[in-house]
Amino acid sequence: MELSGAEVIIECLKAEGIDYVFGYPGGAVLHIYDAFYQQDDVQHILVRHEQGATHAADGYARSTGKPGVVLVTSGPGATNAVTGIATAYMDSIPMIVITGQVPKHLIGNDAFQEVDSVGITRPIVKHNFLINDVNDIASTFKKAFFVATTGRPGPVVIDIPKDITAEKVAFEYPDKIEMRSYNPTFKGHNGQIKRAVEMIAAAQRPMIYTGGGVILGNGSAELRQFTRTLGYPITQTLMGLGAFPASDPLSLGMLGMHGTYEANMGMHHCDVLIAIGARFDDRVTGALEKFCPDAKIIHIDVDPASISKNVKVDIPIVGQVAPVLDAINSELSKIAEFKNTAAIEKWWAQIKEWRAQDCLKYDRDSGTIKPQFVIEELHKVTKGDAFITSDVGQHQMFAAQYYGFDKPRRWINSGGLGTMGFGLPAAMGVQLAHPDETVACITGESSIQMCIQELSTCKQYAMPLKIINLNNGYMGMVRQWQEFFYEKRYAMSYFDSLPDFVAVAESYGHIGIKVEKPEDVRPALEQAFKQKDRLVFLDFITDREENVYPMIPAGAGLNEMILV
């Protein structure tokens, strides 16, 4: 039986086990939307902006490990999706973005709602396709899902002219696909693994530094075994939080620009650095010439292009995190005595001195609501077991510092691109993927307004999210930089016309609660989380000038932190 190109697309999504597609209709994709209407296996979620669709698919992917799928129309539909595509690309999130295109004979003619979607997205995707023949739809989708989900994951764009979605073709979905130019490495090199184990066993001041690749590569169990077997200190990037439990004594917390004193000092003074699924981002390394001056570096990563890109390493191991760590754990089990016990004890004594600085302390008696306090109370009310999304800014850093993630895929935030507006639509994707779980979005009064229209989507699909708005009346992180480095010239970083967020939430049919006193924080949170089937918007009026500490200024080393 022959199907239309649009119907073939639906069948491809079914074959890949896709539950949800996030999108917004338009002329170039109406054949596809008509095919959606005539089936019930794949549910379409109607967002209110194409950026919201990409972030929702992104949140779905981060929280499940499965690819998120987006459907947008040509022209402005595709360009509105660009920010979300770039967000996924920077954080290596598997995503399939289907963009409509004008009919083939109009491509290049400046037709109505025509843009070069392939050209526009080429720098921010793992790969993209323009389908020119209805017979290529099935094989292209198979390739797209394979590319998006293997090796270092990432978004793939499929651009489809409207006339192709109307043409008929016999449907057959490939069982497997082979691409001569794309063969990702799975297992690490045995010789390099043995060299790494020898270096790890001989370390006197070791540090384990892990990133989002551990979570994306489903290597959390292997990482926990590795770290606990060694008893070495571990620090995690913003994207890696939760791969190793924050509550474990071996954890030194997050490192980098707003990392803990003990984590950053441990990195600076270590003699062996074991980097796993991390890319040595500038927010982690600080000044490259000052980074880990005395360390030999082992780097495990699935992407060979990431190895020695920013920091030269001594032992590179290319492969998926889980099998590589499994092989390392196997080698470690063969060693009778793999620790320099006296040196490691001395190293831990030094780390405990750094910990005693208590770099995350803050004034609890100011009479104002401190954002750190809200996060700590949120952790207590949710028992540390919620899915937490965030937008970007001070609230994101406070969440990373104070929530304490013990499980992978619970912390959903935009790390590489730093996309304001990410938190709410990402929470929608998480909630759909985990309908019985608690999902909270930590945001600020600036970020939330970038995609606040998605409150309408939340109403339509009855998503019981809890929005934690840390409202200080400023673009908080911009204001902090202006205070530190621009002599308090607060150029355009403050808001004089904020809405009544409670009224806004209620206008969309949700519950709104405004909280202005510290003693009301816990009761408000408890009240909100008792609402199991309603979205609650909590507007916390926080200290206007609270800063995120520690902080490493641009150009400084990890040992040059501002602590107060």
Side-chain angles (χ1 to χ4, degrees):
M1 185 177 68
E2 289 193 333
L3 302 176
S4 70
E7 291 168 331
V8 169
I9 290 169
I10 302 298
E11 293 302 317
C12 292
L13 297 175
K14 289 181 186 178
E16 291 290 343
I18 299 303
D19 300 314
Y20 296 103
V21 172
F22 302 89
Y24 201 91
V29 289
L30 285 183
H31 294 320
I32 304 174
Y33 272 88
D34 191 55
F36 264 109
Y37 186 83
Q38 298 181 59
Q39 59 84 49
D40 297 316
D41 295 311
V42 183
Q43 185 178 356
H44 180 277
I45 303 299
L46 177 64
V47 297
R48 299 307 186 260
H49 191 286
E50 290 88 352
Q51 182 178 344
T54 53
H55 293 332
D58 188 323
Y60 178 92
R62 292 182 199 237
S63 67
T64 63
K66 298 189 291 185
V69 180
V70 176
L71 173 60
V72 298
T73 195
S74 63
T79 57
N80 280 346
V82 164
T83 297
I85 295 170
T87 300
Y89 178 72
M90 289 290 284
D91 289 343
S92 305
I93 306 303
M95 184 188 293
I96 304 295
V97 182
I98 306 164
T99 58
Q101 187 53 275
V102 299
K104 283 191 297 181
H105 70 280
L106 292 178
I107 293 177
N109 288 352
D110 293 333
F112 177 67
Q113 291 193 332
E114 180 195 358
V115 297
D116 179 6
S117 297
V118 168
I120 288 171
T121 61
R122 185 173 286 120
I124 54 168
V125 294
K126 191 173 178 186
H127 195 61
N128 55 21
F129 300 90
L130 171 61
I131 298 180
N132 288 307
D133 188 328
V134 69
N135 292 288
D136 295 336
I137 292 177
S139 62
T140 300
F141 268 76
K142 187 69 176 180
K143 290 176 183 177
F145 275 95
F146 177 63
V147 170
T149 58
T150 56
R152 181 177 181 173
V156 175
V157 166
I158 307 174
D159 199 35
I160 308 178
K162 183 175 182 179
D163 53 330
I164 288 178
T165 63
E167 295 172 6
K168 297 284 187 176
V169 68
F171 173 69
E172 183 178 355
Y173 200 62
D175 291 331
K176 60 181 180 178
I177 204 81
E178 291 185 4
M179 301 174 69
R180 285 188 304 170
S181 60
Y182 179 66
N183 293 289
T185 302
F186 184 73
K187 294 183 179 179
H189 188 277
N190 285 334
Q192 295 294 80
I193 287 172
K194 289 179 179 179
R195 285 184 61 210
V197 169
E198 290 174 3
M199 184 178 287
I200 291 166
Q204 298 188 36
R205 302 187 310 279
M207 280 291 293
I208 302 170
Y209 149 52
T210 67
V214 177
I215 295 171
L216 295 170
N218 297 312
S220 295
E222 290 81 1
L223 175 66
R224 294 174 192 214
Q225 179 184 344
F226 172 72
T227 306
R228 288 167 176 162
T229 297
L230 292 167
Y232 288 176
I234 181 171
T235 181
Q236 297 171 293
T237 68
L238 179 72
M239 300 307 301
L241 297 176
F244 189 84
S247 59
D248 192 295
L250 298 176
S251 174
L252 306 190
M254 184 174 70
L255 80 160
M257 179 172 281
H258 295 293
T260 67
Y261 184 73
E262 54 267 31
N264 286 338
M265 292 297 284
M267 289 286 289
H268 184 77
H269 292 283
C270 71
D271 69 337
V272 172
L273 178 62
I274 308 151
I276 308 171
R279 59 189 179 89
F280 295 89
D281 172 73
D282 61 288
R283 289 294 175 101
V284 161
T285 63
L288 284 173
E289 66 275 11
K290 301 177 182 179
F291 180 72
C292 295
D294 302 321
K296 296 288 186 181
I297 301 176
I298 300 162
H299 190 188
I300 302 166
D301 203 284
V302 73
D303 181 10
S306 290
I307 292 181
S308 291
K309 180 175 69 175
N310 297 329
V311 174
K312 190 179 185 313
V313 303
D314 298 280
I315 302 179
I317 303 175
V318 178
Q320 291 279 1
V321 165
V324 170
L325 281 181
D326 189 54
I328 290 175
N329 288 334
S330 178
E331 288 295 320
L332 286 172
S333 69
K334 301 173 186 177
I335 301 175
E337 183 61 49
F338 53 81
K339 286 192 291 186
N340 187 331
T341 305
I344 297 300
E345 287 179 357
K346 184 179 179 182
W347 179 229
W348 270 111
Q350 174 62 75
I351 290 171
K352 287 175 183 176
E353 285 185 22
W354 291 327
R355 265 184 171 162
Q357 288 276 348
D358 193 13
C359 65
L360 297 182
K361 63 179 178 293
Y362 62 92
D363 181 7
R364 297 172 180 272
D365 302 315
S366 66
T368 60
I369 296 177
K370 294 291 186 178
Q372 304 96 316
F373 176 68
V374 176
I375 304 301
E376 288 179 331
E377 292 300 295
L378 175 66
H379 185 275
K380 293 173 185 175
V381 170
T382 60
K383 298 180 173 59
D385 201 33
F387 284 87
I388 303 292
T389 73
S390 87
D391 274 296
V392 171
Q394 286 183 321
H395 57 270
Q396 177 190 28
M397 295 300 107
F398 287 131
Q401 290 175 330
Y402 290 91
Y403 191 80
F405 296 92
D406 281 346
K407 298 178 182 178
R409 300 194 184 277
R410 295 283 173 145
W411 170 230
I412 314 293
N413 78 117
S414 169
L417 195 65
T419 306
M420 295 173 68
F422 175 85
L424 174 56
M428 298 187 321
V430 175
Q431 189 73 81
L432 285 166
H434 307 276
D436 298 323
E437 296 283 351
T438 299
V439 182
C441 168
I442 297 173
T443 186
E445 75 293 326
S446 305
S447 287
I448 190 64
Q449 293 190 83
M450 291 205 169
C451 284
I452 200 167
Q453 70 277 0
E454 298 305 332
L455 287 173
S456 179
T457 307
C458 294
K459 179 64 175 177
Q460 180 174 347
Y461 297 98
M463 300 180 191
L465 306 176
K466 306 299 179 279
I467 298 173
I468 314 300
N469 187 38
L470 302 180
N471 184 349
N472 63 3
Y474 277 103
M475 297 180 201
M477 192 59 80
V478 173
R479 185 209 60 76
Q480 179 169 335
W481 277 64
Q482 289 172 334
E483 176 187 335
F484 287 5
F485 310 119
Y486 295 88
E487 298 178 344
K488 298 186 178 181
R489 293 187 295 273
Y490 299 133
M492 270 43 82
S493 60
Y494 57 89
F495 283 83
D496 291 327
S497 55
L498 287 173
D500 180 340
F501 286 110
V502 170
V504 170
E506 290 175 347
S507 73
Y508 279 104
H510 305 302
I511 298 171
I513 302 173
K514 187 174 185 178
V515 187
E516 300 181 86
K517 298 178 181 178
E519 60 267 26
D520 294 334
V521 169
R522 181 68 172 269
L525 286 167
E526 290 175 342
Q527 178 185 348
F529 283 94
K530 286 178 182 176
Q531 300 289 335
K532 300 299 183 184
D533 58 352
R534 296 286 302 278
L535 184 149
V536 182
F537 192 116
L538 292 140
D539 187 24
F540 291 97
I541 309 304
T542 62
D543 189 318
R544 288 176 62 83
E545 296 186 350
E546 186 69 10
N547 291 323
V548 181
Y549 294 107
M551 181 176 181
I552 299 174
L558 291 181
N559 63 327
E560 298 173 305
M561 288 162 277
I562 300 172
L563 294 178
V564 178

